[in-house]
Amino acid sequence: MNRVYNFSAGPSMLPLPVLEKAASEMVCYGESGMSVMEMSHRSPDYEAIIADAESMLRKLMNIPDNYKVLFLQGGASTQFAAVPLNLIGRTGKADYVVSGQFSGKAYKEAQKMGYDVKCVATTKDDNFNHIPAVTKDMIRPDASYVHICFNNTIYGTKYSYIPDTGDIPLVADMSSCILSEPVDVSKFGVIYAGAQKNMAPAGVTVVIVREDLLEYADPKMPTMLEWKIMAENGSMYNTPPCYSIYMLKLVAEWLLSIGGLEEMAKRNKEKADLLYDYLDNQNYYVAPVLDGSRSMMNVTFVTGNADLDKKFASDAAKAGMKNLKGHRSVGGMRASIYNAMPREGVEALVAFMKKFAEENPKA
Ligand SMILES: *Cc1c(COP(=O)(O)O)cnc(C)c1O
């Protein structure tokens, strides 16, 4: 069977050369005589894999030396709790920007723990169709941190700017945009991301944290959630998600081989432009996201008719384009076009959209 164009929001496509390399090393890694899956995480072979994963990620993202890179478990959702547990000790309060479902969950999680948290901006009343303008005067001057979700996977919105929070650390969930374009890490206190959108298979969560922020953990917090302990132990306090980290290394290697994040951003922009240019020049589909907030990774659109939306996703799947159905909470369609989606996949999608519009006139 042929591989399809998989527009899934996550887990999502991985670069074919990465899958092929992993397949070639699946049974026997190098001279080790065993699979990476069977290796002790304390073995020299594995120590080299995790060290390479970290150094390649540092090189790709140009991560300053005063930041730690952690490979954790539990997904981005576990970080919704870990962020307040690690940082609230600075001042006892935290501010949140709610720009979609995941940032809403992060906000609720901090609230649930009984902390003094405040939602300082939200676009909920506009169905999250854009990113709020966040300015310094909205933020409490004694907040421990400000939390944002940089790319809203479900709604297809992304920050086109990095909010200026002054001296207050900015914490960003970058699960669905990390490695899609260069980003100035020094503007953030913490960046975290689940791997399964743009970095690796599910299983590993990357946390990039400025060293001075490792000092505020609640002493009663669970060891597994404490960044400082994970940093002191090179992410090996316990068994790390070994195979996902190995896959992340292969993905990073692939990105470096094509020219790093500048080249990746150029390709991603070309792909996204193809789709948005088409959407902007027809009147069958509606793209709900406002100009200036559009995501390069998740492109959302609707026909305006739930039955046609459903038919679209199922006809597309038959034509070899899978997982175009929008998130169950919002409906419509969503094309996730992460790093691994080739330009040909987006071209095929646009051609399909034109054909579908012609063949399915609205009553
Ligand atoms: C997918 C996603 C999450 C949830 O990630 P898990 O790893 O499943 O916990 C959180 N935030 C964003 C922005 C996401 O895209």
Side-chain angles (χ1 to χ4, degrees):
M1 178 177 187
N2 288 332
R3 281 174 61 78
V4 297
Y5 292 123
N6 177 8
F7 292 91
S8 169
S12 39
M13 282 184 89
L14 285 160
L16 189 56
V18 166
L19 292 175
E20 285 169 342
K21 173 100 196 235
S24 77
E25 295 181 331
M26 169 70 78
V27 174
C28 219
Y29 178 78
E31 296 298 305
S32 71
M34 62 184 82
S35 168
V36 173
M37 284 186 240
E38 302 168 303
M39 246 174 222
S40 164
H41 57 296
R42 311 278 180 201
S43 64
D45 276 322
Y46 195 75
E47 295 266 5
I49 289 170
I50 195 169
D52 284 350
E54 176 173 343
S55 67
M56 288 179 195
L57 200 55
R58 283 186 179 277
K59 188 166 173 193
L60 274 172
M61 294 182 70
N62 198 16
I63 300 173
D65 288 342
N66 63 327
Y67 283 72
K68 294 289 188 192
V69 176
L70 311 177
F71 298 114
L72 309 179
Q73 305 199 46
S77 302
T78 296
Q79 294 306 312
F80 296 165
V83 164
L85 282 166
N86 279 282
L87 298 178
I88 203 89
R90 270 189 85 238
T91 66
K93 322 175 158 182
D95 287 357
Y96 279 74
V97 178
V98 176
S99 58
Q101 215 174 89
F102 291 115
S103 50
K105 283 185 171 172
Y107 172 58
K108 280 205 194 101
E109 190 79 355
Q111 232 175 8
K112 183 177 167 186
M113 287 187 270
Y115 296 129
D116 174 356
V117 290
K118 183 179 172 195
C119 170
V120 293
T122 181
T123 45
K124 189 167 192 287
D125 290 344
D126 300 309
N127 252 327
F128 299 121
N129 68 354
H130 67 286
I131 297 289
V134 181
T135 52
K136 217 155 64 180
D137 56 290
M138 297 175 171
I139 299 157
R140 292 183 290 181
D142 57 347
S144 291
Y145 61 89
V146 178
H147 181 281
I148 62 171
C149 177
F150 213 47
N151 183 80
N152 297 281
T153 324
I154 292 172
Y155 296 91
T157 59
K158 174 170 184 288
Y159 282 79
S160 60
Y161 68 100
I162 299 174
D164 175 11
T165 54
D167 290 337
I168 301 173
L170 182 61
V171 176
D173 176 355
M174 291 202 188
S175 295
S176 50
C177 60
I178 194 161
L179 302 183
S180 65
E181 61 183 347
V183 57
D184 184 351
V185 175
S186 74
K187 295 273 198 304
F188 298 85
V190 181
I191 291 171
Y192 67 92
Q196 68 274 21
K197 316 287 165 58
N198 225 3
M199 288 194 288
V204 61
T205 308
V206 171
V207 175
I208 301 166
V209 52
R210 214 174 63 212
E211 271 166 5
D212 60 287
L213 297 175
L214 296 173
E215 304 306 322
Y216 301 104
D218 182 333
K220 285 207 225 86
M221 85 185 292
T223 306
M224 284 296 294
L225 298 186
E226 190 170 345
W227 297 333
K228 187 177 185 183
I229 289 183
M230 288 297 161
E232 284 168 355
N233 287 277
S235 301
M236 294 226 232
Y237 174 81
N238 72 330
T239 315
C242 301
Y243 198 76
S244 296
I245 295 169
Y246 156 76
M247 289 294 288
L248 189 155
K249 185 204 94 155
L250 295 187
V251 169
E253 211 162 48
W254 173 76
L255 280 166
L256 288 167
S257 79
I258 67 161
L261 299 192
E262 278 82 12
E263 173 62 23
M264 194 67 250
K266 189 173 145 252
R267 295 185 191 184
N268 283 334
K269 183 162 186 318
E270 282 169 12
K271 286 186 284 174
D273 282 351
L274 262 177
L275 204 40
Y276 286 121
D277 285 350
Y278 168 65
L279 284 166
D280 286 342
N281 290 291
Q282 51 77 53
N283 49 27
Y284 187 84
Y285 307 96
V286 174
V289 173
L290 301 189
D291 238 359
S293 293
R294 286 174 159 181
S295 167
M296 270 202 315
M297 297 283 98
N298 313 98
V299 180
T300 50
F301 54 96
V302 298
T303 62
N305 172 321
D307 291 333
L308 281 176
D309 287 353
K310 212 165 148 191
K311 184 168 193 296
F312 182 97
S314 89
D315 286 5
K318 283 180 210 141
M321 284 162 274
K322 297 235 169 141
N323 293 315
L324 282 157
K325 196 166 162 278
H327 189 269
R328 59 187 187 278
S329 63
V330 297
M333 276 77 74
R334 171 177 53 176
S336 293
I337 49 174
Y338 298 117
N339 289 353
M341 174 61 69
R343 184 188 165 95
E344 294 75 40
V346 181
E347 285 168 352
L349 174 60
V350 171
F352 175 82
M353 288 170 77
K354 287 179 187 165
K355 187 164 161 277
F356 185 87
E358 277 163 24
E359 292 173 358
N360 296 276
K362 292 181 196 166

